[in-house]
């Protein structure tokens, strides 16, 4: 389930053993080989040994459902009815709205992050393991769950310790965080990973469209390519840092890849087994009428040890040279409490503060990539660099500037010099100051803010694209329209704001009140045009020009952000009339 912070959930030995036996049984019952899509079957796809979570987990390592996929085909025969107890065809089906949300999220990510290769079946696999597909598809017409789906409070009692980060806004708990919604995001992760998947202007973790899109972006961060097994493993482990979880999600992913079908909302089956073996709070309020799926039974607890015979007293060891060993008196007086072993501090525990590691001035034009990157060094109290510490870089405030890849959060480990270098920044269209905050993951030390400046798009040169004369008769229309090209450092300058003004003279840039003019939407005379922008090729074509009855030479001046200026001559002259040829004299 969903979280960015916290320690790995401790699972009971009995649960792990049961899950391992079940996975082994399923592996033996299914034929190995290649599935219908030409990929290695999940049963045979050994997770990469180097796979590990990149930054805690998306769910706070909350408990999850451990039910295994059915052994039969995901696509039921039309003649096959549901088995007693509700299991059967619906067991493999995905509720209609939930399935639609997964597929729409895949389509969005295919366009936004094509290199990620996110399959909707991965979202379905995680959704099944996290919430049983939104508790069997119990959602309204907009995709919002009928009742909130909440994980247990992460109070450190058998779970990770994550104190409240949202003042109870999402989970209703102002003391500790809880995983929320069908994809089980904890509030601290949703704060930066949340997305609006249904276009209603809100980011709601309880909405399957929002949650599925957020899960897709979360799995696609760090430029992971999910068609590569090693990177797929890393992405899944970053969602819940457990090897058992990875294996289970891969089982469901392979199962859904072989085919699935749609079932009505609310008709999906409810899973019955959880990774915390039933201890702790339920991950959702009780749903009226919910029953344990057929075939699932409560897990038995560990059997009590049988009483055994007392050990026979052993003979004292003889010393190497013979004789009897004399017990040595205890070095600690009786009754003295033993000193518990101390746990050596982790690198993160030794961090006292963050220092700038030589970040230069950060400036970029709107739409461009920043040429320099943010560098931060983690140090101890005495200024010693600390390696292997995770530093989180977060873009804060109202801005559309992101890191490369479209994310506004990135986590990077410090190198041997204690330095973490953030991904490159990509300037958005909003100009002004952008704040990037560096913090230490898992350590409460003051953050370090960096300022980046986004300037408006600019051009440093303007030129006409043609050289045809711009002439017109009084009261007529200029035959040729003015088209210019804007460039910046020799490259086409797209999206640059421009202004076109008919001026009095080269020395007087005031707007003239006679001569050529443009027309506005109502057909009225205007001699200044604002709000113009160059296109993707840096081109700007002005509207048609008209002439009043004044003849002469006039000037049109085009200016752009960045200071580029071009002055164009316009001529209004009456058409020349030719003298008639003299008539022939009559013959004498």
């Amino acid at each position: 389930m969903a979280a960015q912070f916290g320690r790995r959930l401790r699972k009971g030995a009995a649960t792990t053993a049961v899950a391992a036996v079940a996975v082994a049984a399923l592996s033996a019952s299914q034929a190995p080989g290649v599935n219908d899509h030409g990929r290695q079957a999940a049963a045979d796809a050994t997770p990469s040994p180097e796979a590990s979570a990149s930054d805690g987990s998306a769910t706070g390592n909350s408990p999850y459902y451990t039910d295994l996929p059915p052994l039969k085909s995901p696509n039921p025969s039309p003649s096959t009815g549901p088995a007693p107890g509700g299991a059967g065809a619906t067991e493999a089906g995905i509720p209609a709205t939930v399935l639609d949300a997964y597929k729409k999220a895949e389509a969005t990510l295919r366009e936004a992050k094509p290199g990620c290769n996110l399959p909707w079946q991965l979202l379905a696999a995680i959704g099944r393991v996290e919430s049983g597909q939104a508790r069997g598809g119990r959602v309204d017409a907009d995709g919002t769950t009928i009742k909130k789906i909440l994980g247990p409070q992460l109070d450190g009692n058998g779970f990770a310790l994550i104190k409240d980060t949202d003042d109870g806004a999402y989970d209703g708990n102002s003391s500790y965080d809880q995983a929320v919604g069908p994809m089980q995001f904890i509030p601290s992760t949703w704060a930066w990973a949340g997305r609006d998947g249904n276009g209603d202007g809100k980011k709601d973790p309880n909405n399957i469209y929002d949650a599925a899109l957020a899960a897709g972006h979360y799995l696609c961060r760090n430029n992971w390519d999910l068609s590569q097994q090693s990177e797929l493993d890393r992405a899944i482990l970053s969602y819940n840092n457990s090897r058992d979880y990875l294996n289970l999600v891969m089982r469901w992913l392979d199962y859904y890849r072989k085919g699935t079908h749609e079932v009505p909302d609310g008709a999906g089956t409810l899973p019955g087994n959880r990774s915390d073996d039933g201890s702790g709070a339920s991950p959702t309020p009780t749903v009226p009428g919910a029953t344990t799926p057929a075939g699932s039974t409560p897990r038995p607890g560990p059997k009590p040890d049988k009483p055994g015979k007392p050990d026979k007293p052993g003979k004292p060891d003889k010393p190497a040279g013979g004789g009897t060993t004399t017990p040595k008196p205890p070095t600690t007086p009786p009754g003295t409490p033993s000193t518990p072993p101390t746990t050596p501090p982790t690198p993160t525990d030794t961090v006292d503060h963050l220092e700038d590691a030589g970040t230069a001035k950060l400036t970029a034009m709107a739409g461009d990539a920043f040429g320099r990157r943010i560098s931060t060094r983690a140090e101890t109290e005495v200024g010693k660099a600390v390696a292997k510490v995770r530093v989180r870089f977060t873009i804060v405030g109202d801005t559309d500037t992101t890191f490369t890849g479209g994310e506004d959060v990135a986590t990077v480990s410090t190198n041997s010099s204690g330095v973490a270098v953030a991904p490159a920044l990509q300037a958005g269209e909003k100009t002004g100051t952008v704040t990037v905050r560096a913090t230490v993951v898992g350590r409460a030390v003051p953050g370090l803010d960096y300022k980046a400046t986004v300037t408006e798009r600019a051009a440093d040169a303007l030129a006409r694209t043609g050289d045809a004369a711009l002439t017109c008769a009084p009261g007529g229309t200029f035959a040729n329209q003015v088209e210019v090209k804007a460039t910046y450092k020799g490259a086409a300058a797209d999206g640059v704001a421009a202004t076109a003004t008919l001026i009095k003279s080269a020395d007087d840039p005031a707007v003239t009140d006679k001569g050529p003019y443009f027309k506005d939407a109502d057909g009225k005379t205007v001699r200044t045009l604002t709000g113009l922008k160059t296109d993707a090729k840096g081109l700007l074509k002005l509207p048609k020009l008209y002439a009043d009855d004044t003849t002469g030479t006039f000037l049109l001046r085009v200016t752009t952000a960045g200071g580029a200026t071009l002055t164009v001559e316009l001529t209004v002259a009456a058409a020349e009339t030719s003298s008639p040829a003299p008539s022939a004299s009559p013959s004498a």
Side-chain angles (χ1 to χ4, degrees):
M1 314 197 168
Q4 189 67 6
F5 308 98
R7 291 175 238 156
R8 179 173 175 173
L9 172 66
R10 298 170 185 163
K11 303 179 179 65
T15 302
T16 303
V18 170
V21 170
V23 170
L26 184 60
S27 298
S29 64
Q30 293 178 337
V34 177
N35 64 18
D36 296 339
H37 293 257
R39 290 176 56 96
Q40 187 180 13
D44 304 310
T46 303
S48 303
E50 71 275 14
S52 62
S54 65
D55 186 19
S57 74
T59 64
N61 295 323
S62 299
Y64 54 87
Y65 289 107
T66 59
D67 298 49
L68 293 168
L71 299 178
K72 56 195 169 190
S73 168
N75 291 316
S77 168
S79 61
T80 303
T90 56
E91 192 171 322
I94 300 177
T97 298
V98 178
L99 180 60
D100 183 57
Y102 296 150
K103 291 185 176 181
K104 285 187 176 178
E106 179 199 54
T108 299
L109 267 298
R110 188 186 306 124
E111 180 178 348
K113 297 183 178 180
C116 177
N117 295 305
L118 172 79
W120 67 261
Q121 292 91 340
L122 176 59
L123 297 176
I126 291 176
R128 170 71 192 201
V129 170
E130 293 294 345
S131 69
Q133 310 297 20
R135 299 294 287 167
R138 288 167 173 80
V139 297
D140 62 20
D142 296 324
T144 303
T145 56
I146 303 300
K147 291 187 176 181
K148 285 188 176 182
I149 301 175
L150 298 175
Q153 68 176 14
L154 300 173
D155 56 6
N157 184 21
F159 307 106
L161 175 60
I162 305 178
K163 293 185 178 181
D164 175 63
T165 60
D166 66 329
D167 199 24
Y170 293 118
D171 53 18
N173 189 335
S174 58
S175 298
Y176 300 95
D177 271 353
Q178 294 176 247
V180 181
M183 302 303 280
Q184 289 289 276
F185 279 95
I186 60 169
S188 53
T189 301
W190 186 260
W192 61 266
R195 293 292 192 279
D196 177 14
N198 60 355
D200 63 357
K202 298 183 295 183
K203 300 176 182 179
D204 183 3
N206 299 294
N207 183 278
I208 185 58
Y209 288 99
D210 294 359
L213 184 58
H217 275 280
Y218 185 91
L219 294 164
C220 286
R221 73 197 195 288
N222 299 329
N223 292 322
W224 281 326
D225 178 359
L226 303 187
S227 65
Q228 302 297 318
Q229 186 65 49
S230 61
E231 298 189 14
L232 174 62
D233 292 348
R234 290 190 182 94
I236 296 172
L237 282 172
S238 77
Y239 211 87
N240 192 313
N241 191 8
S242 161
R243 184 67 57 169
D244 293 336
Y245 181 89
L246 168 60
N247 291 335
L248 183 61
V249 169
M250 286 299 300
R251 292 277 172 191
W252 280 104
L253 171 59
D254 182 59
Y255 180 75
Y256 286 134
R257 273 195 171 120
K258 293 175 182 175
T260 187
H261 59 279
E262 181 182 296
V263 298
D265 289 346
T269 56
L270 303 180
N273 302 305
R274 287 203 320 172
S275 60
D276 60 345
D277 204 24
S279 63
S282 168
T284 183
T286 302
V287 179
T291 59
T292 302
S296 64
T297 57
R299 299 183 182 184
K303 296 181 179 180
D305 294 334
K306 294 181 180 180
K309 296 180 181 180
D311 294 334
K312 294 181 181 181
K315 296 180 181 180
D317 295 332
K318 293 183 179 180
T324 304
T325 303
T326 303
K328 294 182 179 181
T331 56
T332 304
T336 301
S338 60
T339 302
T342 58
T343 303
T346 65
T348 301
D349 294 332
T350 67
V351 177
D352 176 75
H353 59 273
L354 293 174
E355 287 285 345
D356 177 39
T359 303
K361 185 177 180 181
L362 299 168
T363 303
M365 215 156 47
D368 289 350
F370 282 75
R372 299 183 181 272
R373 296 162 70 177
I374 295 172
S375 297
T376 299
R377 183 171 55 252
E379 296 183 354
T380 64
E381 186 176 3
V382 296
K384 183 180 179 181
V386 186
K388 298 182 180 179
V389 172
R390 290 180 297 163
V391 176
R392 178 178 296 116
F393 297 95
T394 306
I395 300 172
V396 298
D398 181 19
T399 179
D400 55 354
T401 293
T402 64
F403 292 112
T404 302
E407 301 295 343
D408 55 11
V409 175
T411 302
V412 182
S413 293
T414 57
N415 59 20
S416 59
S417 300
V419 175
V421 181
L425 286 167
Q426 176 68 40
E429 295 302 320
K430 292 183 179 179
T431 59
T433 301
V434 177
T435 300
V436 181
R437 182 165 299 151
T439 55
V440 178
V441 177
R443 180 77 169 163
V445 298
L448 186 61
D449 285 355
Y450 293 85
K451 301 297 183 183
T453 303
V454 179
T455 62
E456 63 180 333
R457 293 172 182 258
D460 56 14
L462 280 173
R464 280 189 65 193
T465 59
D467 55 5
L470 299 169
T471 60
C472 180
T477 303
F478 283 81
N480 298 309
Q481 290 177 247
V482 177
E483 183 181 65
V484 298
K485 182 171 184 177
T487 55
Y488 184 78
K489 295 182 179 179
D494 63 309
V496 178
T499 300
T501 307
L502 290 153
I503 59 176
K504 289 184 176 180
S505 69
D507 298 324
D508 186 355
V511 182
T512 185
D513 57 358
K514 57 185 177 180
Y517 61 90
F518 298 105
K519 289 182 180 180
D520 64 12
D522 298 324
K524 295 180 179 179
T525 298
V526 292
R527 290 189 169 89
T528 298
L529 297 177
T530 59
L532 305 172
K533 278 193 176 183
T534 59
D535 64 15
K537 296 181 179 179
L539 299 175
L540 173 63
K541 192 170 187 177
L542 299 181
K544 287 183 177 181
L545 278 163
Y546 303 88
D548 61 14
D549 294 334
T550 309
T551 59
T553 299
F554 302 89
L555 299 180
L556 168 67
R557 180 163 291 172
V558 182
T559 58
T560 67
T565 301
L566 175 67
T567 302
V568 180
E569 284 192 358
L570 307 173
T571 301
V572 179
E576 293 184 3
T577 56
S578 57
S579 301
S583 57
S585 299
S587 299

